[in-house]
Amino acid sequence: MNTLVVQERKDFKKGSLRKLKNNGEIPAVVYGREINTKSISIKNADLLKVIKAVGRNGIMTLNLDGKSTNVILRDYQNDPVKKEILHIDFLQVNQHTEIDTKVSVILKGTSNGEKAGGIVKQFLHELNITAKANDIPDNIEIDITDFEIGRTVRVADLKKDYNNITINNENEETIIMIDYMKTTEEEEDISAAEV
């Protein structure tokens, strides 16, 4: 399910990139401590299926000429206009490899503070972490359902919940805050003070 069959790339002319794209393939590179860096190509549709199955930070297996290598998707380049993946970097890993990466912060639920007229302010949408390849979460989820107005979550608050990963952000960095909604009068007062 999480195995991708890839081909080694030996032709690096401009025309070969166009040919790959026309065949629904993406150029990529795989590297790591235990392997020589190789240029490869991968089918876009297969890659998207595997990412859907294992997640953005999940371990996948590359099969090149019958040999299997466990990797994670280390980096990729996107076409900002067409939203297509242009190039991928795979990092070879084993279960003991420690990796520096980023994970998304996802908020779950509607807070009591919002129901009382407050607003959620999210200051950090990603966290920098270090973890073994098997321990990297797809995302870090914060359930805000019981949060009242004035509740703040800082990086230090999350660190005690995640023993198997190291969150590298500063402890005092604010991730989210349930704030009071400004009234129209307050906004007018602020605007008048700024003039």
Side-chain angles (χ1 to χ4, degrees):
M1 183 67 178
N2 64 341
T3 299
L4 290 162
V5 177
V6 299
Q7 308 295 322
E8 187 168 0
R9 284 181 60 221
K10 293 176 179 170
D11 183 359
F12 298 98
K13 295 175 189 164
K14 261 190 177 176
S16 71
L17 284 178
R18 198 175 303 113
K19 191 175 174 185
L20 278 181
K21 192 176 174 182
N22 290 342
N23 289 337
E25 296 183 55
I26 307 166
V29 66
V30 58
Y31 59 91
R33 286 184 186 167
E34 298 165 24
I35 59 169
N36 294 323
T37 301
K38 280 193 167 75
S39 293
I40 57 173
S41 64
I42 186 166
K43 289 199 178 296
N44 191 20
D46 293 347
L47 175 69
L48 295 176
K49 276 183 204 163
V50 169
I51 291 174
K52 194 172 181 181
V54 303
R56 162 69 176 84
N57 294 317
I59 295 176
M60 43 193 98
T61 304
L62 297 187
N63 186 316
L64 175 62
D65 298 330
K67 291 181 183 173
S68 295
T69 304
N70 288 340
V71 298
I72 61 164
L73 200 161
R74 187 74 172 127
D75 198 13
Y76 62 93
Q77 294 171 350
N78 252 346
D79 183 317
V81 178
K82 296 180 182 176
K83 304 293 183 199
E84 294 172 347
I85 299 173
L86 300 174
H87 189 274
I88 298 213
D89 288 1
F90 290 106
L91 174 65
Q92 182 245 1
V93 295
N94 63 42
Q95 61 194 23
H96 305 296
T97 307
E98 283 214 325
I99 297 160
D100 294 325
T101 190
K102 292 182 179 186
V103 292
S104 299
V105 177
I106 307 291
L107 305 184
K108 182 184 169 193
T110 303
S111 69
N112 290 336
E114 288 172 277
K115 291 173 187 170
I119 56 169
V120 176
K121 292 182 176 175
Q122 186 171 354
F123 300 98
L124 289 177
H125 293 271
E126 284 184 331
L127 292 172
N128 298 307
I129 70 161
T130 302
K132 288 183 179 172
N134 285 344
D135 293 334
I136 298 172
D138 285 336
N139 53 59
I140 289 178
E141 197 173 84
I142 302 173
D143 187 346
I144 63 171
T145 310
D146 296 330
F147 290 9
E148 305 293 342
I149 290 174
R151 177 72 186 268
T152 299
V153 177
R154 292 188 170 84
V155 169
D157 300 322
L158 283 187
K159 285 188 175 179
K160 59 183 178 285
D161 296 330
Y162 289 90
N163 299 325
N164 55 347
I165 68 172
T166 302
I167 300 174
N168 299 317
N169 297 68
E170 298 295 328
N171 281 342
E172 64 275 5
E173 283 186 79
T174 299
I175 300 170
I176 64 155
M177 174 181 173
I178 312 297
D179 203 359
Y180 292 94
M181 179 75 87
K182 285 182 185 162
T183 64
T184 311
E185 284 177 24
E186 284 176 326
E187 287 172 354
E188 285 172 2
D189 289 345
I190 291 166
S191 299
E194 287 173 348
V195 175

